[in-house]
Amino acid sequence: MCWSATADLTAGTVITAAGIACLARTRRPRDLPVAALPLILGAHQLIEAAVWRSGGGCGPATTAWAVIALPLLPAWVPLGVLLAAAPELRPRLWLPAAAGLATGAYLAYCLATRPVSAEIRGHTLGYGVNVPWMPLALAGYLFATLGALALSGDRRLRLLGALLAAGALACAALWRLEFASTWCAFAAAASTLILVWTGGRARSPSVREGARRGAPNL
């Protein structure tokens, strides 16, 4: 879906619509950050369509894409999973949440102090930003996002984490220089599984009981 501006625009529109549906069917405020992921990732693909149309470079669309991909996602995903998790599962989720906040802060600093650029490479986009200690930052990024999903205690979120891990391996093997773009595109498509997750949460007994009492389940 990252093969052209048209592909990104089409995929982004569909995934954004799925994200809106996820938010519409969410009943518990603490589920909202996870439910919003398809909306964020769908918008991310729409932004990448603008990067394609601008021919890459260092413009506002490139910067906006990098802000979502680098500082935002490693912090958002584990914190969202932490909020949505059952209270007894939250202690084990603090470590990926802390890793995500630290990684996001570090990547935000790199973006604030160094230029980011995009280059069209055939049917893919490569993004360039000077990140010292990149292997460590990438390890923190993947532990925060994939680790939180794996430790969530929810089978649908664990499935999403497994798909994203497989996608990361495939994208790293096939598009090493374009890993960020291709994996984010894969993550956007896989995030539509959250539509199933929000449906299951809406049907859970605790949500229905809260609705009958007229009080939110936090």
Side-chain angles (χ1 to χ4, degrees), residues 110-199:
C110 291
L111 285 181
T113 57
R114 297 168 173 83
V116 58
S117 62
E119 178 185 357
I120 296 176
R121 297 169 180 163
H123 292 292
T124 59
L125 279 167
Y127 292 87
V129 59
N130 182 14
V131 178
W133 305 100
M134 173 56 90
L136 184 60
L138 182 59
Y141 190 112
L142 294 177
F143 174 67
T145 52
L146 303 182
L149 293 169
L151 295 171
S152 66
D154 185 292
R155 61 184 178 86
R156 296 181 181 90
L157 294 184
R158 288 200 301 266
L159 174 60
L160 176 59
L163 287 175
L164 294 182
L169 291 173
C171 291
L174 297 173
W175 301 287
R176 183 175 63 85
L177 297 178
E178 300 83 20
F179 172 79
S181 174
T182 53
W183 187 67
C184 284
F186 184 87
S191 73
T192 55
L193 284 174
I194 295 174
L195 192 61
V196 179
W197 178 81
T198 54

Side-chain angles (χ1 to χ4, degrees), residues 4-5 7 26 41 45 81 94 116-117 135 146 151 159 167 198 201 204 213:
S4 68
T26 298
L41 292 170
Q45 294 306 115
V81 172
W94 279 110
V116 58
S117 62
L146 303 182
L151 295 171
L159 174 60
T198 54
R201 303 284 278 190
S204 68
R213 293 178 180 177

Side-chain angles (χ1 to χ4, degrees), residues 28-34 80 82-87 90 201 217-218:
R28 288 183 286 199
R30 65 186 180 90
D31 290 343
L32 286 172
V34 172
L82 175 66
L83 286 172
R90 290 175 189 168
R201 303 284 278 190
N217 284 278
L218 301 176

